[in-house]
Amino acid sequence: MAEHLELSQAVSRYVQDGDTVALEGFTHLIPFAAGHEIIRQGKRNLTVSRLTPDLIYDQLIGAGCVRKILFSWGGNPGVGSLYRFRDAVENGWPSPIKLEEHSHAGLTNRYVAGASGLPFTVMKGYLGTSLGQIAPHVRFLDCPFTGEPMAAVRALNPDVGILHAQRADRLGNVQVWGISGVFREVVMASRRVIITVEEVVEELERHPGDFVIPAMAVTAVCPAPFGARPSYVQDYYNRDNDWYRRWPGLSKDRDAFLSWVEGSVMGGSG
Amino acid sequence: MAEHLELSQAVSRYVQDGDTVALEGFTHLIPFAAGHEIIRQGKRNLTVSRLTPDLIYDQLIGAGCVRKILFSWGGNPGVGSLYRFRDAVENGWPSPIKLEEHSHAGLTNRYVAGASGLPFTVMKGYLGTSLGQIAPHVRFLDCPFTGEPMAAVRALNPDVGILHAQRADRLGNVQVWGISGVFREVVMASRRVIITVEEVVEELERHPGDFVIPAMAVTAVCPAPFGARPSYVQDYYNRDNDWYRRWPGLSKDRDAFLSWVEGSVMGGSG
Amino acid sequence: MTVVGSRQLRNGMSCFVGIGIPSTVANLARNTHAPDLFLIYEAGVLGSKPYRLPLSIGDGELATTADSVVSVPEVFNYWLQGGRIDVGYLSAAQIDRYANLNTTVIGPDYHQPRVRLPGAGGAPEIAAHCREVTIIMRHTRRAFVSEVDFVTSVGLGPAANLRSELGFKGAGPVEVITDLGVLRPDPVCGELALVAVHPGVEVEEVLEQTQWPLQVSPSLSITDPPTDEELAVLRDLISRS
Amino acid sequence: MTVVGSRQLRNGMSCFVGIGIPSTVANLARNTHAPDLFLIYEAGVLGSKPYRLPLSIGDGELATTADSVVSVPEVFNYWLQGGRIDVGYLSAAQIDRYANLNTTVIGPDYHQPRVRLPGAGGAPEIAAHCREVTIIMRHTRRAFVSEVDFVTSVGLGPAANLRSELGFKGAGPVEVITDLGVLRPDPVCGELALVAVHPGVEVEEVLEQTQWPLQVSPSLSITDPPTDEELAVLRDLISRS
């Protein structure tokens, strides 16, 4: 059953150095407040997983929290490169990081297998690509019925799944609507689940196209208003596209990035 | 893109003798009107697939439409046996039917594989059971990562998927809420999709917990008010439990069943 | 039988519920000592709190009182196979000494059955994946057989390491509750033994209704009779359904 | 390039769209000759009708104007792998003569890349599963290489039966539209050939910007210049984004 905790408590209690952590949210509902709390608490040697590392992992990597990254598309959408990510890959700064690289479908299906309690699942993909040769958790097999070549991807079960949602109720049931990405899969695949929410309400009023994650599947719910900024929360606030465009200026240079972290993350509380 | 058709036109045009047809709906939204139209048009040699054959397949079997049935639980829920189903299995009346028997999870995953464009998918199931020995579309394999034993189930792609939903709009977008069972999987797995709806509206007003099947994935939309009776449609009408309790009296005896078909199906139009 | 079954459920547990006795048992528990019992029905209904007892597994009442309604693939793959369920309830037409269950056909030949039963439904996955399984059924000589005609759902043997060989994460059947008493498996070999009888039931009667030579626990006990509250809640539940 | 790309799209088609040029192309078509174009974005957005051009693949604008929003597993497994998409648009940092694409790393060693690119995203599945793939990219000598450093997305060779060997249902790349002209694959061996140039572009220039000896179609044509309407709609789309 979900506990209601302050974000700092939840991160301190449930995110350990060396953990595999998935902070997901496909463009929508990216848990930036939780990412900043991880930076503030100086977590180290994390393996982090995300389809689109986005600015949130650029920040975690630049702050030295990350030892290994699982991902499938590592850019600043519509803007260009993630400079902290590239600096770590190309120059090992602030420390070298290992890459485990997938297609969106491949990493998604690693979560699906993990959520399904399976050791692996199958897909048509990776066949004929160089990705299929470098990805460590991909094998090939033949369909036992038709003989067709298939890819098997290994289940991913993060130690901690961290997500952002619109609302939770007092019992810890969490309500989400809009683009949901791999929200359900990360909840069901992860050993512990932290969900930050825009607001905690007495009772959830259902919303068109929404779904509810029962408290039963959640470890901690943490209030974090504007906790997805500069990404967006449907029906709460819009994506701050200007901020995404400003990020290269704040992050291309190592010193500029460090002073941004010092001024905007370490001092803050969310 | 979805066409708007009368149910009789849709069944006549898209259901052919010998087809594999899935009339689904997990207790909720069972497409009885479409089933009755199939009986009226005297379709023959159908392979029919459904997790819970329920009264709808009891009727199709008794009326002689069915050559083979794929299923996972064949009873009258909360009441007892399906007598037409049992009479066909045990005595070959009105004609012998072949069985392909699964667990709910197994038949569900056959649809999932079909919807996913895969020749098969994997699950932990069938292992150690007699079901695993008699089901023709189940094979066993070892996980390529862990060596664990797994079951592979072959994809099922019905020729026609037939479903009932709350509403459609003029463009053929279909809106569903409440218990959805394998609705999405049957839509995506089937070569042709007929959806009967309680009403056709100008524009869909979104409803809490709903989802919308784009017209792109639908072949024909047919108005069929009360088209799921005696099952139910959430926010339209309740399950007619008394009718389910009356069914044994109408169906246990062959002559009683034939006169019910003659009086209640052949004469009707829905 | 219903009352004894309901007592095993602890508050806050997640419980996978079938229609009939399991549903009655779980809702009795929810209305007595376990108000936060998390009920999951195979139609994809999560956290249902029905006021009436449902006739069918997908009754509207179940969905409208639920925390969440998900698809059937999601309930079977993510919730059940994903290992999220504490306890599952099963019943059957036949059970053997290792708690293998048959709900498919009676008779030696699957293709020429003496009786055609409804089939598997969700039972094989409940038996495989729930952390624990409780079986509730009437104790008759026709049902308690030496070997089931068809293994619909896997129990605890004959091979003692059967479940780990198959890679099942759930412990399997931990208790069989009947109208005569309670059976539990031997922790080593998995064979069921009689551990309790209901008030007024003789051991002799249980042995007669069992086709295999049933072991009887040296510490055999007698179950507590239903309390007035338990009976009142049960009558109330049934009366409004 | 954008205008020529948009002309390939027929009304009623389903089109899997990435951000950037593909999104502009598709929305240009939707605002000119193909109003019922069904746009699918990889964030799970089905049937989107954005008024502005989105900056990111998961912009709120895309979701709120859509027929339906589904999960990422559903869009990749059911819609894309399920074979529901008519045409997919791709771009890349490198393309070779068989239209294999690289969006991962530049340089011979994956582990010591000269340039680290964003990676695969949805591209490998778009290349594998869409009925047809159209590639849109700038025509430079750095991009049009004899052999890509890394095969992120599979094209049409070198083996002529490559795609059927891999079990891909989609036809793969059918057209490469660049700022200089249009390339199409040889129907037998899959090698790209120049079939059209834009008005004012010399064939010589195209050959210079291609590292492999590019075949030129004997029936080489010149593309129609953008109409006033096409240009007006495009300017309007860009101005409000």
Side-chain angles (χ1 to χ4, degrees):
Chain A
M1 288 310 234
E3 288 174 286
H4 282 273
L5 292 178
E6 290 301 310
L7 178 54
S8 57
Q9 290 177 295
V11 168
S12 151
R13 196 177 298 174
Y14 295 117
V15 181
Q16 306 304 323
D17 287 356
D19 274 354
T20 295
V21 185
L23 293 98
E24 276 288 355
F26 203 94
T27 308
H28 185 214
L29 299 171
I30 303 180
F32 275 97
H36 293 172
E37 186 58 36
I38 289 171
I39 294 174
R40 270 194 295 280
Q41 295 193 14
K43 302 291 181 187
R44 287 292 176 272
N45 292 317
L46 300 178
T47 293
V48 294
S49 172
R50 229 184 107 71
L51 299 183
T52 59
D54 202 273
L55 310 196
I56 190 173
Y57 281 6
D58 213 32
Q59 294 168 2
L60 283 169
I61 291 167
C65 305
V66 176
R67 184 180 60 91
K68 181 177 175 183
I69 182 169
L70 282 65
F71 75 105
S72 41
W73 193 85
N76 180 343
V79 178
S81 283
L82 297 173
Y83 291 99
R84 296 296 98 229
F85 173 63
R86 282 184 58 177
D87 200 10
V89 174
E90 294 169 8
N91 311 308
W93 191 93
S95 51
I97 59 170
K98 289 184 192 163
L99 302 184
E100 181 185 323
E101 186 160 2
H102 285 278
S103 68
H104 280 345
L107 186 49
T108 294
N109 280 316
R110 289 203 65 194
Y111 288 131
V112 168
S116 302
L118 295 173
F120 77 106
T121 191
V122 291
M123 55 184 281
K124 303 285 294 180
Y126 292 109
L127 297 156
T129 69
S130 308
L131 274 176
Q133 285 150 30
I134 54 135
H137 295 302
V138 176
R139 301 265 167 89
F140 297 96
L141 50 77
D142 293 334
C143 170
F145 300 100
T146 64
E148 282 173 75
M150 306 278 294
V153 292
R154 191 168 193 164
L156 176 60
N157 290 99
D159 295 305
V160 199
I162 301 182
L163 300 151
H164 188 73
Q166 275 96 344
R167 293 201 285 241
D169 67 14
R170 299 267 163 217
L171 300 171
N173 298 300
V174 173
Q175 186 184 21
V176 192
W177 63 89
I179 289 173
S180 67
V182 290
F183 199 108
R184 273 178 282 228
E185 287 65 33
V186 169
V187 167
M188 300 309 286
S190 299
R191 293 183 182 89
R192 303 184 289 281
V193 175
I194 299 172
I195 302 185
T196 56
V197 294
E198 287 297 317
E199 52 176 340
V200 176
V201 297
E202 206 51 50
E203 200 169 344
L204 298 175
E205 195 185 315
R206 298 301 301 269
H207 188 279
D210 68 350
F211 61 90
V212 171
I213 301 286
M216 178 60 64
V218 180
T219 313
V221 168
C222 311
F226 300 105
R229 268 199 175 154
S231 82
Y232 74 106
V233 175
Q234 194 175 315
D235 297 317
Y236 283 74
Y237 45 88
N238 290 328
R239 192 168 188 271
D240 189 348
N241 285 334
D242 286 341
W243 210 93
Y244 273 83
R245 289 195 188 95
R246 279 215 316 276
W247 181 244
L250 295 170
S251 64
K252 194 161 185 179
D253 179 82
R254 291 176 186 176
D255 289 335
F257 171 75
L258 289 174
S259 76
W260 174 81
V261 170
E262 198 50 44
S264 301
V265 178
M266 299 314 283
S269 64
Chain B
M1 287 311 233
E3 287 174 285
H4 282 273
L5 291 178
E6 289 303 310
L7 177 55
S8 57
Q9 290 178 295
V11 168
S12 151
R13 196 176 301 173
Y14 295 117
V15 182
Q16 306 304 324
D17 287 355
D19 274 354
T20 295
V21 185
L23 295 99
E24 278 286 356
F26 202 93
T27 308
H28 185 212
L29 300 171
I30 303 180
F32 275 96
H36 293 173
E37 186 59 35
I38 289 172
I39 294 175
R40 271 194 295 277
Q41 295 194 15
K43 301 292 181 185
R44 286 293 175 271
N45 292 317
L46 301 179
T47 292
V48 294
S49 171
R50 226 183 111 72
L51 299 182
T52 59
D54 202 273
L55 309 196
I56 190 173
Y57 281 5
D58 213 32
Q59 295 167 2
L60 283 168
I61 291 167
C65 304
V66 176
R67 185 180 59 92
K68 181 176 175 184
I69 181 169
L70 282 65
F71 76 106
S72 40
W73 193 86
N76 180 343
V79 178
S81 283
L82 297 173
Y83 291 98
R84 295 296 98 233
F85 173 62
R86 282 184 58 176
D87 200 12
V89 174
E90 295 168 8
N91 311 308
W93 191 92
S95 51
I97 59 170
K98 289 185 192 163
L99 301 185
E100 181 186 323
E101 185 159 4
H102 286 278
S103 67
H104 279 347
L107 186 49
T108 294
N109 281 315
R110 290 202 65 194
Y111 288 132
V112 168
S116 302
L118 295 172
F120 77 107
T121 190
V122 291
M123 56 184 281
K124 302 283 294 179
Y126 292 108
L127 296 156
T129 69
S130 310
L131 273 176
Q133 285 150 28
I134 53 135
H137 294 302
V138 176
R139 300 266 167 91
F140 297 96
L141 50 80
D142 293 334
C143 169
F145 300 99
T146 65
E148 281 173 77
M150 306 279 293
V153 291
R154 191 168 191 161
L156 176 61
N157 290 99
D159 295 305
V160 199
I162 302 182
L163 300 151
H164 188 73
Q166 275 95 344
R167 295 201 283 241
D169 67 14
R170 298 267 162 219
L171 300 171
N173 299 299
V174 173
Q175 186 184 22
V176 192
W177 63 89
I179 289 172
S180 66
V182 291
F183 198 108
R184 273 179 282 229
E185 287 66 32
V186 169
V187 167
M188 300 309 285
S190 298
R191 294 183 179 89
R192 304 185 290 281
V193 176
I194 299 172
I195 302 185
T196 55
V197 294
E198 286 298 316
E199 51 177 340
V200 176
V201 298
E202 207 51 52
E203 199 170 343
L204 298 175
E205 193 186 317
R206 297 302 301 268
H207 188 278
D210 68 349
F211 61 89
V212 171
I213 301 286
M216 176 61 63
V218 180
T219 313
V221 168
C222 312
F226 301 103
R229 268 199 176 155
S231 82
Y232 74 105
V233 175
Q234 194 174 314
D235 297 317
Y236 283 76
Y237 45 88
N238 292 327
R239 191 169 189 270
D240 189 348
N241 285 333
D242 286 339
W243 211 92
Y244 274 82
R245 289 196 187 95
R246 278 215 316 276
W247 181 244
L250 295 170
S251 64
K252 196 163 180 177
D253 179 83
R254 291 176 185 173
D255 288 335
F257 170 77
L258 289 175
S259 77
W260 174 81
V261 170
E262 198 50 46
S264 302
V265 178
M266 299 314 285
S269 64
Chain C
M1 174 162 78
T2 305
V3 169
V4 172
S6 79
R7 289 179 190 153
Q8 318 303 319
L9 289 165
R10 294 181 297 280
N11 203 14
M13 274 182 147
S14 56
C15 178
F16 203 96
V17 189
I19 287 301
I21 297 176
S23 179
T24 310
V25 164
N27 281 294
L28 177 57
R30 201 173 56 78
N31 282 281
T32 52
H33 64 284
D36 294 332
L37 200 62
F38 187 76
L39 304 190
I40 300 184
Y41 288 81
E42 67 190 16
V45 172
L46 309 178
S48 189
K49 294 164 272 293
Y51 177 74
R52 298 174 302 112
L53 292 175
L55 182 67
S56 126
I57 204 97
D59 252 17
E61 170 93 358
L62 295 177
T64 51
T65 63
D67 293 332
S68 187
V69 177
V70 299
S71 72
V72 162
E74 197 168 336
V75 79
F76 277 101
N77 290 342
Y78 289 2
W79 283 85
L80 197 42
Q81 188 176 256
R84 294 274 168 173
I85 315 295
D86 293 316
V87 55
Y89 274 82
L90 289 174
S91 196
Q94 287 185 331
I95 182 172
D96 69 18
R97 68 174 79 193
Y98 298 106
N100 295 299
L101 301 179
N102 175 12
T103 54
T104 305
V105 287
I106 304 291
D109 182 0
Y110 170 78
H111 298 282
Q112 299 285 331
R114 194 130 38 79
V115 184
R116 173 68 239 187
L117 302 164
E125 276 67 33
I126 292 172
H129 305 309
C130 291
R131 284 191 193 97
E132 297 185 349
V133 173
T134 294
I135 296 161
I136 303 203
M137 53 192 286
R138 298 209 174 272
H139 205 133
T140 67
R141 205 172 159 79
R142 272 173 56 184
F144 281 66
V145 298
S146 299
E147 211 177 318
V148 294
D149 292 336
F150 191 97
V151 180
T152 312
S153 303
V154 174
L156 302 159
N161 61 348
L162 173 69
R163 297 183 69 89
S164 61
E165 286 277 302
L166 298 175
F168 291 169
K169 297 218 174 66
V174 295
E175 195 156 54
V176 182
I177 298 169
T178 80
D179 52 333
L180 299 183
V182 179
L183 292 73
R184 292 218 181 94
D186 179 282
V188 177
C189 75
E191 184 174 327
L192 293 171
L194 185 67
V195 298
V197 288
H198 297 319
V201 174
E202 297 296 328
V203 169
E204 213 34 56
E205 190 184 345
V206 183
L207 300 182
E208 263 167 36
Q209 295 297 333
T210 308
Q211 284 194 33
W212 75 85
L214 177 63
Q215 302 293 311
V216 179
S217 166
S219 56
L220 183 80
S221 64
I222 297 176
T223 60
D224 291 332
T227 65
D228 289 348
E229 191 214 345
E230 286 167 337
L231 286 178
V233 170
L234 182 57
R235 285 199 195 99
D236 187 42
L237 261 178
I238 291 169
S239 76
R240 66 183 181 233
S241 299
Chain D
M1 172 163 77
T2 305
V3 169
V4 172
S6 79
R7 290 177 190 154
Q8 319 302 318
L9 289 165
R10 295 182 295 280
N11 202 13
M13 273 183 148
S14 56
C15 178
F16 203 95
V17 189
I19 288 298
I21 295 174
S23 179
T24 309
V25 163
N27 281 295
L28 177 58
R30 201 172 56 78
N31 283 282
T32 51
H33 64 284
D36 294 332
L37 200 61
F38 187 75
L39 304 190
I40 300 184
Y41 288 81
E42 67 189 14
V45 172
L46 310 178
S48 190
K49 295 164 270 293
Y51 177 74
R52 299 174 301 115
L53 292 175
L55 182 68
S56 126
I57 204 103
D59 253 16
E61 170 94 358
L62 296 176
T64 51
T65 62
D67 292 332
S68 188
V69 178
V70 299
S71 72
V72 163
E74 196 168 335
V75 80
F76 277 101
N77 291 342
Y78 289 2
W79 284 85
L80 196 42
Q81 187 175 260
R84 295 274 168 172
I85 315 294
D86 293 317
V87 57
Y89 274 83
L90 289 174
S91 194
Q94 287 185 332
I95 182 172
D96 69 18
R97 69 174 79 193
Y98 298 105
N100 294 299
L101 301 180
N102 175 12
T103 56
T104 305
V105 287
I106 304 291
D109 182 359
Y110 169 78
H111 298 283
Q112 299 285 331
R114 193 130 40 78
V115 184
R116 173 67 239 187
L117 302 164
E125 276 67 34
I126 294 173
H129 306 308
C130 290
R131 284 191 193 97
E132 296 185 351
V133 173
T134 294
I135 296 161
I136 304 203
M137 52 192 287
R138 299 211 172 271
H139 206 134
T140 67
R141 203 170 161 78
R142 271 173 55 184
F144 280 67
V145 298
S146 299
E147 209 178 318
V148 292
D149 291 335
F150 191 98
V151 180
T152 313
S153 302
V154 174
L156 302 160
N161 61 348
L162 174 68
R163 297 184 67 90
S164 62
E165 285 278 303
L166 298 175
F168 291 168
K169 299 219 172 67
V174 296
E175 194 154 55
V176 182
I177 299 169
T178 81
D179 52 332
L180 301 182
V182 178
L183 293 73
R184 291 217 183 95
D186 180 282
V188 177
C189 75
E191 184 173 328
L192 293 170
L194 185 68
V195 299
V197 289
H198 298 317
V201 174
E202 298 295 327
V203 168
E204 212 35 55
E205 189 185 347
V206 183
L207 299 183
E208 263 167 36
Q209 294 298 333
T210 308
Q211 284 195 31
W212 75 84
L214 178 63
Q215 302 293 313
V216 179
S217 165
S219 56
L220 185 80
S221 64
I222 296 176
T223 60
D224 290 332
T227 66
D228 290 346
E229 191 215 346
E230 286 166 336
L231 285 178
V233 170
L234 182 57
R235 284 198 196 99
D236 186 40
L237 260 179
I238 290 169
S239 76
R240 67 183 179 232
S241 300

